[in-house]
Amino acid sequence: MTDKSQHFDVVIAGGGMVGSMLAAALAEGSVVGLPGENANKPPLNVCVLEGVRPETFEPGSDPDYDIRVSALSNATQHMFENVGAWQGVIDRRACVYREMAVWDGEAAGRTHFDAGDIGASELGHIVENRVVQLALLDRLEAAANITLKCPARLATYRTTGDSSVVTLESGEQLTAHLLVGADGARSTVRKIAGIEVDSSRYPQHALVASIKTTLPQQAITWQRFQPTGPQAFLPLCGSRASMVWYHTEEEVERLLALDVEAFSVAMCDAFPAELGGIESVSARSSFPLVKAHAARYVDERIALIGDAAHTVHPLAGQGVNLGMLDAAALADVILETHAAHRDIGARRYLRRYERWRRGENALMISAFDSFFHVFKPQPRPVQWLRSAALNMADHGGPLKRLVMGHAMGTRGHLPTLARTRFAAG
């Protein structure tokens, strides 16, 4: 019987932002490349399965804002620059932020971070998720060694001696030396592999709203810790902003049920007056808060990245940045293994990626979880201690620089794409 399946080196299930970054890192001409004498070796043949293509956003146009936004760190920006996709972000829409203000809503503690304190021009950019994805898709569609299938979703797969045999929902069949699960928190790849997840839900939901304010936005993000949950205010272009309020599920549902006028009044009453009044609300939504960590990131012919491997409390906005670091680290491991003429799908080589990223992600999950517990309603002595800690951080030079370094993604064991600007593309 004739084998009608298509053959690839790597199949990435669930492109999204993180899966598309991995594909871009493996794309022909990527600055990660193949080292030394292997530089002229044919590039890997990669297939990306994308479920839904984001709504079109032509450079130069000004469509309504996507309610889903991410705070991209400097390290993530480096990755985009190095795969030739950053200009696609800038040509569409991105808002730089140079400062970050954090304060305790129950006590007097407050700290302020400024990029200038460490000689940086910015702390990061607030970017709509669809802009992130579209800029990467532009890069993938221009790469000769990338096959983009959209709409396409993985239905099931099985592993054989030297490949994963992937069946799509359409019935189409693919084979690959390595299958990467970038298919989100409910990963089908992870489920079929039988990889367990340590998961728990927080007693909060996140209420998100895209708004226009009476005051122009400054290049600063605001975060206040209230007894009911953190409040965040993220600047977008002009007088646009994204508001996030973590509250009980019941209260979030009540707020979402309000008409626009009543909702605006509720937000103005809850958020600091210095952020400006709300002129209009263009979109609002909510989602539950979950922390989760896969027991392992790899198996024979399988690797997990991004939300398929871990989810964190979103209060620090670092979820997407952790996923991007996963993608860049896995790209390093795949390309180095390929250059050494070894099997890119063999678990013994993929374990390097797991050792690299799982420990770092576990540390970040614990850190964000600690923030949640420290700033939930506490007795007065605990309030005083956490407030004193914020004030101390504001005046502690080395500690402040350390925190800023982690927020910018410039600390730790960084992958090639995140370490340096190569001025690609």
Side-chain angles (χ1 to χ4, degrees):
M1 185 173 66
T2 303
D3 182 4
K4 295 183 179 180
S5 62
Q6 299 180 61
H7 301 274
F8 297 95
D9 294 304
V10 181
V11 168
I12 302 172
M17 296 187 290
V18 173
S20 294
M21 175 57 77
L22 172 60
L26 300 177
E28 189 172 15
S30 165
V31 297
V32 179
L34 292 171
E37 62 186 23
N38 296 295
N40 295 321
K41 192 174 182 180
L44 291 163
N45 190 14
V46 179
C47 179
V48 180
L49 308 178
E50 184 62 75
V52 179
R53 188 180 183 90
E55 186 178 347
T56 301
F57 186 148
E58 293 297 331
S61 65
D62 188 27
D64 289 339
Y65 272 82
D66 187 345
I67 194 170
R68 299 170 303 164
V69 302
S70 295
L72 303 187
S73 68
N74 282 22
T76 297
Q77 178 182 336
H78 292 173
M79 295 182 213
F80 274 83
E81 291 169 338
N82 292 331
V83 300
W86 185 244
Q87 193 60 47
V89 172
I90 297 301
D91 287 346
R92 290 179 171 92
R93 197 158 54 195
C95 179
V96 66
Y97 66 97
R98 301 180 178 86
E99 302 172 62
M100 181 168 57
V102 181
W103 70 95
D104 189 335
E106 287 191 294
R110 185 166 185 146
T111 190
H112 178 267
F113 301 95
D114 190 314
D117 292 341
I118 57 173
S121 58
E122 70 273 327
L123 294 177
H125 290 76
I126 308 297
V127 186
E128 295 155 83
N129 288 7
R130 69 163 164 163
V131 169
V132 170
Q133 194 171 354
L134 286 168
L136 289 167
L137 288 176
D138 288 346
R139 176 71 182 98
L140 302 188
E141 290 173 337
N145 68 314
I146 306 294
T147 298
L148 177 63
K149 292 182 179 291
C150 181
R153 287 187 174 89
L154 178 146
T156 188
Y157 71 88
R158 58 185 173 85
T159 56
T160 66
D162 62 354
S163 63
S164 285
V165 181
V166 177
T167 302
L168 308 187
E169 289 182 351
S170 64
E172 184 179 1
Q173 202 166 78
L174 317 173
T175 61
H177 295 301
L178 173 63
L179 171 62
V180 178
D183 49 347
R186 297 180 179 179
S187 170
T188 299
V189 173
R190 186 188 67 218
K191 182 178 180 180
I192 295 174
I195 298 175
E196 295 183 355
V197 181
D198 180 12
S199 175
S200 61
R201 289 184 61 167
Y202 290 99
Q204 292 177 338
H205 271 50
L207 169 65
V208 184
S210 181
I211 66 170
K212 185 176 183 180
T213 62
T214 56
L215 296 177
Q217 293 308 306
Q218 305 170 49
I220 182 170
T221 67
W222 304 77
Q223 190 152 277
R224 180 171 68 173
F225 290 93
Q226 292 284 81
T228 55
Q231 300 170 325
F233 195 86
L234 309 177
L236 299 172
C237 299
S239 58
R240 303 301 299 265
S242 178
M243 300 176 70
V244 188
W245 192 3
Y246 305 97
H247 213 302
T248 63
E249 181 178 1
E250 294 75 20
E251 179 63 8
V252 167
E253 289 178 353
R254 185 191 72 81
L255 290 167
L256 287 175
L258 297 175
D259 61 33
V260 172
E261 183 177 353
F263 179 81
S264 299
V265 170
M267 292 300 100
C268 287
D269 288 344
F271 279 71
E274 62 237 64
L275 302 180
I278 297 177
E279 186 175 306
S280 63
V281 179
S282 58
R284 45 184 166 155
S285 185
S286 69
F287 56 89
L289 305 182
V290 179
K291 68 169 180 176
H293 205 190
R296 61 184 189 277
Y297 286 12
V298 302
D299 212 333
E300 198 69 20
R301 314 245 156 253
I302 302 297
L304 304 177
I305 59 176
D307 285 356
H310 51 80
T311 58
V312 300
H313 194 294
L315 67 87
Q318 291 298 306
V320 67
N321 295 312
L322 295 179
M324 292 295 185
L325 287 170
D326 290 347
L330 183 57
D332 274 0
V333 171
I334 290 172
L335 289 169
E336 289 174 15
T337 303
H338 179 54
H341 303 279
R342 294 178 177 137
D343 184 355
I344 62 170
R347 184 177 181 179
R348 63 182 178 276
Y349 302 123
L350 293 171
R351 279 279 292 145
R352 181 187 160 215
Y353 157 69
E354 181 178 67
R355 290 192 299 269
W356 184 348
R357 292 299 304 154
R358 195 174 187 282
E360 292 193 14
N361 288 333
L363 182 62
M364 297 304 287
I365 291 170
S366 295
F368 299 148
D369 190 53
S370 296
F371 265 101
F372 166 76
H373 288 291
V374 166
F375 282 97
K376 67 183 182 182
Q378 299 282 7
R380 183 64 64 181
V382 177
Q383 293 178 27
W384 183 87
L385 286 172
R386 73 189 184 199
S387 184
L390 280 176
N391 290 328
M392 186 182 301
D394 197 42
H395 296 92
L399 175 60
K400 196 172 186 179
R401 287 192 291 272
L402 178 65
V403 172
M404 291 174 69
H406 279 289
M408 294 168 67
T410 56
R411 298 277 181 174
H413 182 193
L414 296 177
T416 303
L417 283 181
R419 285 200 304 264
T420 312
R421 296 181 182 183
F422 291 89

